[in-house]
Amino acid sequence: MIFNSEISGQQQHTTSPVVTGGSVIALVYNGGVIVGTDTLCSYGSMATFKNVQKIAQISKNTIYASSGEFSDFQQVVKELAKIDRSALQYDDGVHPSPKDYGNFLARLSYKKRCKINPLYLQNVIAGFHNGERYLGLVDIYGTYLESNFITTGFASYFCKAIIANYWNENCTLDQAKQVIRECFKVLFCRDCRAHDVIQLAYVDAQGAHIEEPERVETKWDFNGFKSRANEKLHTQ
Amino acid sequence: MQYLDNYLQSKGGYDYTNVKRNELMKAQGFKEMPFTKTGTTIVGVLFDGGVVMAADTRATAGSIVADKNCEKLHTLAPNIWAAGAGTAADLHHQCAHFNAKLKLQRLNLNRQSRVNEVITKLTSKLFPYRGHIGVALIIGGIDCNGPQLASVSPHGNYVYHPFQSMGSGSLAALGILEAKFQDGLTKQQAIDLAIEAIEAGIFHDMGSGSNVDVVAITKDGVDYKRNIRQYNAKSYQRQVPYDFPINNTPALKKYQFDIEKQELTEVGQEMEIIE
């Protein structure tokens, strides 16, 4: 088999993503951290894979989700799982905390960025360790940020205001879920690459729980859109 | 030039004579102006019986705030207002131009201006300029056909929607509008929704900021609230000119200098300041 790099003599790097996942929204609540994604992987502008789980459980108390190139997501899950497994094999009672995974991913992303061959992802790591909630963002360049709420992709434009106005870091799990559902409703209405089936996952003191996908209800038939009465008036 | 007009009129259809010229200019390195979403958040919300429009008050020149408290809500007619995003100069001049044009028409015809008139005139003006007149407007008004809300883009596209937002902060505002808009809002609910949407733009978009202006147009008239919300008002107003209180500084010692004798003597008492 002949690969491109052998023909041209130069190593090719990914310049643009092919199969992409949409926005990720993650919030901290009073008992832990909750992450929401939709279940769509787009092939460019085609909604090809509509029932994809984009939240992975890395260890007992850590979950990972990302938006961007889906094959890179799958690779990162493998890399993080390697760390989890090797920690188990040491069998010394020490296990990486969610922050350790976040830090590792930041170093990995930065290394790949420096070689101009990035992991085309905005990564979110969420976890609950020693009674402390953890939520971290690692972006395509390897920038590492810890925060109480994280949005990636288009959610950064549409949903920050909704989160700021209707969420606080000590809300209940149900309140946090409602805010995330509201955000995905807005995204489905205005983001071309969004889907109305979402999946929520949360980590609390008991561990990680990934829920079944659910459909968000959106309303498209407001009077002004349905009847378009004003437009008819325009031509009078 | 009369022969050219006649020739073009007889040809009919669109005039594409400039296309070749534009291609030549591009080849020579002339860069076409990109469509820029400018530093603004403006929203319009239609409710039962009227329309509400709101805007932030920041004007930017690149990354610098040029005007902390500019007015983005313009009057086009007593019953029609426009909220403008885009190049400030274009907005001021176009809105003033159409204000005058509509007024002349009202004087001639003795009839109230209509929203669809305004949209038609605007889009007819903007379309031939291919988007180079950087004017993105949300037009709202009430006329004989009821309340109407429309938006006009710099290229001449218009759309009638029950809620709109434009400008660089439009996505942040649209998030709030999509989440909270209902049919059958009351005037106060529509105003609160519009203010919340502009707040979203002010706090989550760097091109928008400062205060919120709101105008509500109903059959009963126009309710314009300039700076209805101020988030960074100066908490202390410096007194200008500064009033120096009398006898504020106690005199510990008093000296007297006799100019003729060139002598400095200490005077015992505190001198009273004569006003």
Side-chain angles (χ1 to χ4, degrees):
Chain A
M1 283 211 305
I2 300 174
F3 297 104
N4 261 346
S5 52
E6 290 177 21
I7 296 172
S8 65
Q10 265 184 326
Q11 188 178 14
Q12 307 273 336
H13 291 154
T14 311
T15 48
S16 59
V18 177
V19 175
T20 51
S23 313
V24 175
I25 302 177
L27 306 173
V28 133
Y29 66 97
N30 62 7
V33 188
I34 181 168
V35 176
T37 65
D38 60 12
T39 59
L40 172 69
C41 274
S42 315
Y43 182 66
S45 58
M46 183 165 133
T48 314
F49 309 107
K50 293 210 206 138
N51 205 2
V52 179
Q53 181 171 325
K54 291 190 284 179
I55 308 178
Q57 180 168 2
I58 305 295
S59 75
K60 190 173 157 293
N61 61 354
T62 313
I63 54 179
Y64 161 70
S66 69
S67 64
E69 171 61 55
F70 193 62
S71 62
D72 284 340
F73 167 81
Q74 292 173 321
Q75 188 60 26
V76 169
V77 169
K78 284 192 187 131
E79 297 290 331
L80 296 178
K82 269 190 218 168
I83 298 176
D84 185 50
R85 222 175 309 125
S86 69
L88 282 172
Q89 284 164 359
Y90 265 108
D91 199 22
D92 55 0
V94 175
H95 203 83
S97 69
K99 181 163 178 153
D100 295 332
Y101 289 112
N103 206 28
F104 171 79
L105 193 49
R107 300 285 96 234
L108 181 66
S109 297
Y110 188 69
K111 174 192 167 181
K112 294 192 68 82
R113 168 264 174 108
C114 288
K115 296 190 191 279
I116 327 283
N117 188 14
L119 285 167
Y120 232 97
L121 296 172
Q122 302 262 7
N123 306 285
V124 176
I125 315 248
F128 195 87
H129 181 69
N130 284 345
E132 295 279 312
R133 306 168 290 193
Y134 171 82
L135 186 56
L137 168 75
V138 179
D139 76 359
I140 188 179
Y141 308 101
T143 315
Y144 173 73
L145 292 165
E146 286 176 31
S147 182
N148 278 341
F149 73 97
I150 280 169
T151 54
T152 68
F154 263 102
S156 301
Y157 295 98
F158 287 110
C159 303
K160 278 210 156 77
I162 301 172
I163 294 171
N165 289 356
Y166 298 103
W167 163 88
N168 67 74
E169 59 181 9
N170 292 316
C171 67
T172 65
L173 178 61
D174 282 324
Q175 286 171 331
K177 282 188 188 176
Q178 270 311 109
V179 171
I180 295 186
R181 284 185 190 120
E182 196 67 40
C183 290
F184 276 107
K185 277 188 213 179
V186 172
L187 282 174
F188 184 57
C189 287
R190 291 284 171 170
D191 177 10
C192 293
R193 312 280 188 264
H195 197 40
D196 56 349
V197 177
I198 67 168
Q199 189 166 28
L200 300 171
Y202 58 95
V203 197
D204 55 17
Q206 279 77 48
H209 315 264
I210 302 184
E211 298 193 343
E212 287 300 304
E214 56 182 86
R215 182 177 295 273
V216 288
E217 293 302 318
T218 46
K219 186 175 164 71
W220 295 75
D221 57 353
F222 289 115
N223 286 336
F225 293 120
K226 202 164 56 168
S227 66
R228 307 188 81 91
N230 279 302
E231 250 174 42
K232 292 182 194 131
L233 288 172
H234 182 86
T235 53
Q236 280 174 7
Chain B
M1 290 305 276
Q2 188 61 40
Y3 76 94
L4 192 60
D5 290 336
N6 290 338
Y7 167 68
L8 286 171
Q9 213 168 20
S10 63
K11 253 181 83 188
Y14 287 123
D15 176 16
Y16 288 102
T17 47
N18 276 337
V19 173
K20 190 132 194 213
R21 176 205 72 169
N22 292 346
E23 278 172 17
L24 264 170
M25 287 171 81
K26 261 196 210 158
Q28 286 169 359
F30 178 79
K31 265 182 285 203
E32 223 186 52
M33 265 181 272
F35 172 63
T36 44
K37 267 224 201 101
T38 58
T40 297
T41 311
I42 49 174
V43 300
V45 179
L46 206 56
F47 65 93
D48 268 353
V51 61
V52 165
M53 286 187 295
D56 73 314
T57 60
R58 175 183 282 188
T60 51
S63 326
I64 304 170
V65 177
D67 190 345
K68 291 183 282 190
N69 205 5
C70 70
E71 286 190 41
K72 301 190 188 183
L73 293 169
H74 310 276
T75 318
L76 295 178
N79 58 326
I80 304 173
W81 281 59
T87 315
D90 286 336
L91 282 167
H92 283 141
H93 284 269
Q94 295 300 319
C95 286
H97 173 76
F98 283 106
N99 193 335
K101 202 165 171 181
L102 288 173
K103 176 139 197 192
L104 273 173
Q105 192 185 41
R106 279 202 301 281
L107 289 168
N108 273 321
L109 301 178
N110 201 21
R111 284 208 191 340
Q112 196 192 42
S113 300
R114 298 189 193 183
V115 174
N116 51 15
E117 256 176 52
V118 177
I119 307 287
T120 313
K121 285 181 166 46
L122 263 168
T123 52
S124 307
K125 172 81 189 275
L126 293 174
F127 179 69
Y129 285 90
R130 312 287 296 151
H132 288 271
I133 298 187
V135 153
L137 292 165
I138 295 183
I139 317 272
I142 191 155
D143 58 25
C144 55
N145 290 323
Q148 289 153 74
L149 179 68
S151 73
V152 175
S153 82
H155 285 263
N157 171 56
Y158 65 90
V159 67
Y160 284 80
H161 277 162
F163 58 91
Q164 314 258 17
S165 75
M166 296 201 103
S168 62
S170 66
L171 272 71
L174 209 48
I176 295 289
L177 288 173
E178 282 286 349
K180 297 287 150 192
F181 178 80
Q182 306 285 345
D183 282 324
L185 290 169
T186 63
K187 178 177 165 187
Q188 191 52 46
Q189 285 173 330
I191 290 177
D192 291 336
L193 177 60
I195 291 175
E196 200 180 334
I198 298 290
E199 254 180 43
I202 287 172
F203 289 119
H204 299 281
D205 171 47
M206 299 212 277
S208 313
S210 298
N211 317 312
V212 182
D213 292 345
V214 169
V215 66
I217 308 173
T218 55
K219 239 184 351 204
D220 305 320
V222 168
D223 195 9
Y224 176 46
K225 293 271 181 9
R226 168 87 172 133
N227 290 356
I228 192 174
R229 292 273 190 280
Q230 291 185 304
Y231 302 103
N232 280 306
K234 280 198 174 128
S235 52
Y236 167 73
Q237 281 296 337
R238 203 159 30 101
Q239 198 182 12
V240 177
Y242 186 69
D243 246 356
F244 290 91
I246 309 294
N247 286 329
N248 197 35
T249 313
L252 298 173
K253 283 194 172 144
K254 272 279 37 145
Y255 293 95
Q256 197 169 0
F257 183 71
D258 198 325
I259 298 175
E260 279 182 9
K261 290 184 197 162
Q262 294 282 302
E263 273 174 15
L264 188 72
T265 50
E266 189 173 332
V267 176
Q269 309 148 315
E270 277 175 39
M271 197 163 74
E272 276 184 53
I273 296 174
I274 305 161
E275 275 163 69

